[in-house]
Amino acid sequence: MRIGILGSGLMGAKLGTTFARARHRVIFSYARRQAKLERLAHEAGPNARAGTPRDAARESEVLLLAVHWSRLSDVLERAGDLSGRIVVSCSLPMSKDDSRLVIARTSSGAEALAKRVPRARVVSAFHTVPSEVLFGVYAARRRAKRPHVVYCGDHAKSKRVAARLIRDVGFDAVDAGPLRIARYTEPFALLIAQLAYEGKGGPELAYRFERFR
Ligand SMILES: NC(=O)c1ccc[n+]([C@@H]2O[C@H](COP(=O)([O-])OP(=O)(O)OC[C@H]3O[C@@H](n4cnc5c(N)ncnc54)[C@H](OP(=O)(O)O)[C@@H]3O)[C@@H](O)[C@H]2O)c1
């Protein structure tokens, strides 16, 4: 797939690199310095390049949204028309100081985003995973028992694409249902982060999520 990375920070850089190594064609965009995007593309290998958000939106069928919530308007404006694109969002609707969710209970960041880009297909995924664990999970992806990542969305084909990307990173993909389920997965992501960073187990806790069969 052709994947545009909107936000090349901790999440965007690691997921973009992982996708490029899994042989997707990746455009890294949206960082404060062009040199950083060039470096990421160089390190990710021949399937990656640096570009602008507009390049990413125009040339990719899938976009990974990985910006701080406060940067959402800016990145969407720079990306331009997202009609027909699948937008996989790991952006959580956090306040500027990251102390709380600014959307919760009756809606979610994913649903608010879907209203902002009505001609795109939004899938919410990856936000329950701290970026630190991504390379380790990717390296271990052939293990029989793999950690799970939940995702949700309203469009079946887009969800299949997101599930494939989740598997490419090394997780088992757990379909949590329609996009409104993000109302529950977004607070869950904060619980995971709290446990990962403030508990004793470290980020490993983040993916010790088991499905009861
Ligand atoms: N990090 C995690 O473990 C994690 C886990 C789950 C969900 N998330 C969510 O994923 C999203 C991204 O998180 P992150 O940790 O990857 O954030 P981050 O490291 O701060 O990355 C955000 C990106 O936005 C760019 N940026 C910020 N201000 C900019 C500006 N004025 N102009 C151009 N680019 C600008 C940053 O540029 P620079 O690269 O130059 O700084 C960076 O590339 C957030 O919504 C977060 O809640 C993160």
Side-chain angles (χ1 to χ4, degrees), residues 6-13 29-33 36-37 40 65-71 74 78 89-94 98 125-134 189-190 193 197:
L6 297 176
S8 297
L10 293 171
M11 278 307 260
S29 80
Y30 204 72
R32 274 170 272 238
R33 288 175 303 110
K36 177 182 179 181
L37 299 174
L40 286 175
L65 180 71
V67 294
H68 190 276
W69 195 250
S70 58
R71 308 302 313 170
D74 187 48
R78 293 201 209 184
S89 175
C90 56
S91 289
L92 290 169
M94 300 295 290
D98 284 325
F126 289 115
H127 51 249
T128 51
V129 191
S131 51
E132 289 94 323
V133 305
L134 291 172
L190 295 195
Y197 295 115

Side-chain angles (χ1 to χ4, degrees), residues 115-194:
K115 285 189 186 145
R116 298 279 301 268
V117 288
R119 287 164 205 248
R121 306 291 194 176
V122 174
V123 183
S124 172
F126 289 115
H127 51 249
T128 51
V129 191
S131 51
E132 289 94 323
V133 305
L134 291 172
F135 286 152
V137 173
Y138 182 66
R141 69 194 189 284
R142 291 188 201 288
R143 278 192 203 142
K145 196 166 183 195
R146 307 184 335 156
H148 294 101
V149 158
V150 290
Y151 64 103
C152 59
D154 291 334
H155 184 242
K157 182 181 165 234
S158 307
K159 286 173 82 172
R160 282 197 293 278
V161 168
R164 182 177 160 201
L165 293 178
I166 289 170
R167 285 193 292 270
D168 283 345
V169 179
F171 297 97
D172 267 347
V174 177
D175 183 352
L179 200 58
R180 66 180 165 73
I181 298 297
R183 292 172 201 179
Y184 312 109
T185 59
E186 288 176 359
F188 175 65
L190 295 195
L191 168 66
I192 293 292
Q194 186 91 4

Side-chain angles (χ1 to χ4, degrees), residues 53-65:
R54 198 155 293 251
D55 297 334
R58 206 175 37 221
E59 296 173 35
S60 310
E61 62 247 76
V62 183
L63 293 159
L64 179 84
L65 180 71

